[in-house]
Amino acid sequence: VFVKDEKGRKGQAPRPEERKGQPLRAEVDWARLRHVTKVATRLMDNVIDLFDFPVPQVTELAKKNRRIGLGIMGFADMLYQLGVAYNSPEGEKLGERVMKTITDTAHTTSYALAKEKGVFPNAGKSVYAKAKQKPRNAALTTVAPTGSISMMFDCSSGIEPNFALAYVKQDKDGHQYHYFNRFFEAALEKQKLSKEKIKDVKDEIVRTGSIQNLKDLPEALRDTFVVAMDISAEAHMRMQASFQRNVDNSISKTINFPNSATKEDVANGYILAWKLRCKSATVYRDGSRNVQILNLGTGENITAPTEIGNAKPIETAPLDLAMDKNRMGPRARPKVMTGKTYEVKTGYGKLFVTVNDDESGIPFEIFATIGKSGGFFQEQSEAICRLVSLSLRSGVKIEKVVDQLKGIRGPMPVMTDKGTVLSLPDAIGQIIEEHVKNKTTLPSASVPAELATLTIAKEEPVTSTVTSKTIADYGMMPGCPDCGNQLTMGEGCLSCKSCGFSRCL
């Protein structure tokens, strides 16, 4: 949103000035906002004609409805420049006016485009069916999630307050990016504080993300530069409602709760959203996940996604079960072994599988590494390989191991030059089969003595009682990286109904 200061200078970031120790109040450049909205509406309508979706039916529907998603980001930074508190009646009224200006201008532009190019084909099936004047687009405005995009442009996300005045963003590979709010930094420099005091303020911000505990700073400064955790859940929700009143679609907005929030606090938040007629509501309690995208502090003690599953296991006393007496155990592992490493493409990235043979050339153990994915998928492959290795070292027939692994279907099968790979276990089974089939001669060594006297019970046929199939049997349905249950897709996001995991694409 464009603002201009009292002297009429225009731009996204007016030069900070002071009056009696406080920044000059700026104002929104409403004419500029309306102009940008007109241009953006026309541009996004043109995109509908130029873009082809992978599925023809989706392209057809898009052209029949001509929906666009015109939204905003940088609202919280705009309030910083205006000197308006996010959690204030003035902030709510300004949010409502900003969105009303955008929506009204977008609709006016859409009506003009309809006269120029025609109305959207499905107008007769819409709420505009009986209207004398029909627009070019079925719907125009929304507030989309802009977390990563806003970081690229160094502004606040959507209509969200800033997460903190200083924070660390961590991506899926554990890389960290440090941010310090430029508008606060400019305002701080104008406070005529000593270098030592400025350093103390910045240290406090890096540690807590907020200046609310720095009572020696001007109250007006502390009221203006609030962050997500300084704002009550009710104020979060009321700001969402102020925008929702003038948005065609729904709104992406997180209602942030502190770590101390109770179940009753969360419940009351949803009830308030219903009372304020919000179309949807998303709440998040700080610290409720092991890995967070945004974090306070210097980044030294942040858990990376790649570290999940690598924690040192808790030592427990070994089981000493009577039922295990006289049952087979694995052979001891030699200090040095030789083998081959195979690469195979899977739906989760490249899988590298190493098969080690014993002194007789018989597969003895297997290891697997899944590209850069790590985490959930690495845990799966490690567990599979441990159990396969245990079976091989205990004398289980290789063909039985292969038979158990091959054919297991996962949510993301892929085609390779050697055929279809249905899942990680299917890939491992195929590699073991390839490994043993490539041996030109059979091992001549005798069976190890510790396995020679084993008696294997006769196998009984297993009859499955499961006959129904899920959508995962027919195509794409990724599993939840937290609990493994099926993820559902909606509004550009993946979510888990079991544990609450969510990720927007």
Side-chain angles (χ1 to χ4, degrees):
V1 175
F2 289 79
V3 299
K4 58 184 180 180
D5 67 16
E6 291 179 340
K7 293 187 177 180
R9 285 184 298 273
K10 297 182 179 181
Q12 287 180 296
R15 187 172 73 240
E17 298 188 66
E18 292 183 344
R19 179 191 295 159
K20 296 180 181 180
Q22 300 304 324
L24 281 176
R25 288 295 296 270
E27 62 182 25
V28 177
D29 191 342
W30 298 106
R32 175 68 172 163
L33 178 59
R34 285 189 288 270
H35 171 73
V36 170
T37 300
K38 290 179 182 179
V39 174
T41 302
R42 180 176 287 271
L43 181 150
M44 296 179 76
D45 181 71
N46 288 339
V47 169
I48 297 174
D49 296 319
L50 296 173
F51 189 78
D52 287 327
F53 291 92
V55 180
Q57 292 86 342
V58 176
T59 302
E60 180 184 2
L61 186 63
K63 292 182 177 180
K64 285 184 176 180
N65 292 332
R66 306 195 68 83
R67 299 172 67 97
I68 65 173
L70 183 64
I72 70 170
M73 61 184 181
F75 177 69
D77 281 340
M78 184 197 80
L79 294 182
Y80 284 171
Q81 296 173 71
L82 297 175
V84 176
Y86 187 98
N87 52 340
S88 68
E90 186 181 0
E92 293 174 23
K93 290 178 182 179
L94 189 56
E96 183 172 1
R97 185 181 176 188
V98 165
M99 203 66 231
K100 188 177 191 308
T101 300
I102 294 172
T103 297
D104 288 351
T105 304
H107 278 262
T108 300
T109 305
S110 185
Y111 284 118
L113 286 172
K115 292 180 179 180
E116 178 184 336
K117 300 181 179 181
V119 303
F120 66 98
N122 278 344
K125 302 177 182 180
S126 72
V127 295
Y128 297 103
K130 297 181 180 180
K132 292 182 180 180
Q133 187 180 16
K134 297 177 176 62
R136 173 73 168 164
N137 315 90
L140 293 111
T141 53
T142 189
V143 177
T146 62
S148 298
I149 299 174
S150 64
M151 288 181 177
M152 291 170 58
F153 289 93
D154 195 17
C155 68
S156 58
S157 171
I159 63 170
E160 302 281 6
N162 280 287
F163 171 75
L165 294 177
Y167 59 90
V168 180
K169 181 189 178 184
Q170 177 177 247
D171 64 20
K172 63 182 179 62
D173 294 320
H175 298 148
Q176 296 180 1
Y177 308 90
H178 296 253
Y179 291 82
F180 196 98
N181 189 272
R182 56 193 172 105
F183 298 108
F184 175 76
E185 192 165 24
L188 185 63
E189 290 176 357
K190 296 297 181 178
Q191 294 300 311
K192 297 181 180 179
L193 302 175
S194 65
K195 291 183 179 180
E196 291 75 15
K197 181 58 181 177
I198 291 178
K199 181 180 182 303
D200 291 341
V201 171
K202 289 187 174 182
D203 288 344
E204 170 72 8
I205 291 173
V206 169
R207 187 175 63 85
T208 68
S210 172
I211 60 171
Q212 299 309 306
N213 292 328
L214 300 175
K215 304 301 182 182
D216 50 344
L217 291 179
E219 184 178 358
L221 193 70
R222 288 186 282 116
D223 288 344
T224 298
F225 288 93
V226 291
V227 296
M229 288 304 169
D230 299 330
I231 302 168
S232 68
E234 179 179 350
H236 274 283
M237 197 70 75
R238 291 191 181 280
M239 181 61 81
Q240 176 175 335
S242 69
F243 275 86
Q244 184 70 80
R245 285 189 281 272
N246 296 289
V247 171
D248 293 338
N249 299 300
S250 192
I251 288 176
S252 173
K253 171 80 178 75
T254 301
I255 312 304
N256 292 92
F257 283 84
N259 185 261
S260 59
T262 65
K263 291 181 179 179
E264 290 73 21
D265 294 332
V266 174
N268 290 334
Y270 280 113
I271 293 172
L272 179 61
W274 170 72
K275 289 181 178 179
L276 295 174
R277 303 179 68 84
C278 292
K279 292 183 179 180
S280 62
T282 300
V283 304
Y284 180 73
R285 183 177 65 81
D286 184 53
S288 59
R289 299 179 64 84
N290 291 333
V291 177
Q292 295 187 158
I293 295 176
L294 302 182
N295 302 270
L296 299 176
T298 62
E300 295 177 356
N301 299 318
I302 298 176
T303 302
T306 52
E307 296 174 0
I308 298 297
N310 294 332
K312 187 176 181 180
I314 300 174
E315 295 184 3
T316 58
L319 293 175
D320 186 14
L321 303 176
M323 66 180 69
D324 277 343
K325 189 177 182 180
N326 297 326
R327 294 178 66 87
M328 74 174 75
R331 288 181 286 166
R333 186 188 187 281
K335 296 295 183 183
V336 179
M337 302 196 75
T338 60
K340 293 183 178 180
T341 298
Y342 300 81
E343 176 187 324
V344 61
K345 179 182 177 182
T346 75
Y348 313 98
K350 290 183 179 180
L351 181 70
F352 298 89
V353 181
T354 299
V355 183
N356 286 336
D357 298 332
D358 65 10
E359 66 280 359
S360 302
I362 299 175
F364 185 89
E365 64 185 4
I366 184 170
F367 302 95
T369 302
I370 179 74
K372 294 183 179 179
S373 298
F376 175 68
F377 302 114
Q378 184 60 43
E379 292 172 1
Q380 279 196 44
S381 58
E382 181 177 348
I384 294 169
C385 291
R386 286 192 179 202
L387 291 175
V388 169
S389 298
L390 184 65
S391 300
L392 295 175
R393 293 170 60 184
S394 300
V396 176
K397 289 185 176 181
I398 299 171
E399 63 180 280
K400 297 299 181 184
V401 173
V402 172
D403 184 58
Q404 291 296 318
L405 296 175
K406 284 187 62 179
I408 294 178
R409 180 180 289 272
M412 300 180 70
V414 296
M415 295 294 296
T416 71
D417 56 355
K418 295 183 180 180
T420 303
V421 175
L422 302 176
S423 63
L424 291 178
D426 179 64
I428 293 173
Q430 290 189 36
I431 288 175
I432 296 175
E433 183 178 48
E434 178 184 353
H435 182 78
V436 295
K437 281 186 175 181
N438 285 341
K439 293 183 178 295
T440 56
T441 58
L442 292 176
S444 57
S446 60
V447 177
E450 61 268 34
L451 300 179
T453 58
L454 291 175
T455 302
I456 308 299
K458 182 179 180 181
E459 295 183 2
E460 297 293 337
V462 178
T463 303
S464 174
T465 58
V466 179
T467 56
S468 62
K469 292 184 177 181
T470 68
I471 191 173
D473 294 307
Y474 302 99
M476 301 282 289
M477 181 168 283
C480 174
D482 281 358
C483 69
N485 286 310
Q486 293 177 351
L487 292 176
T488 58
M489 297 188 68
E491 299 180 355
C493 294
L494 295 171
S495 60
C496 179
K497 304 301 183 184
S498 297
C499 71
F501 168 84
S502 65
R503 181 182 68 195
C504 291
L505 304 176

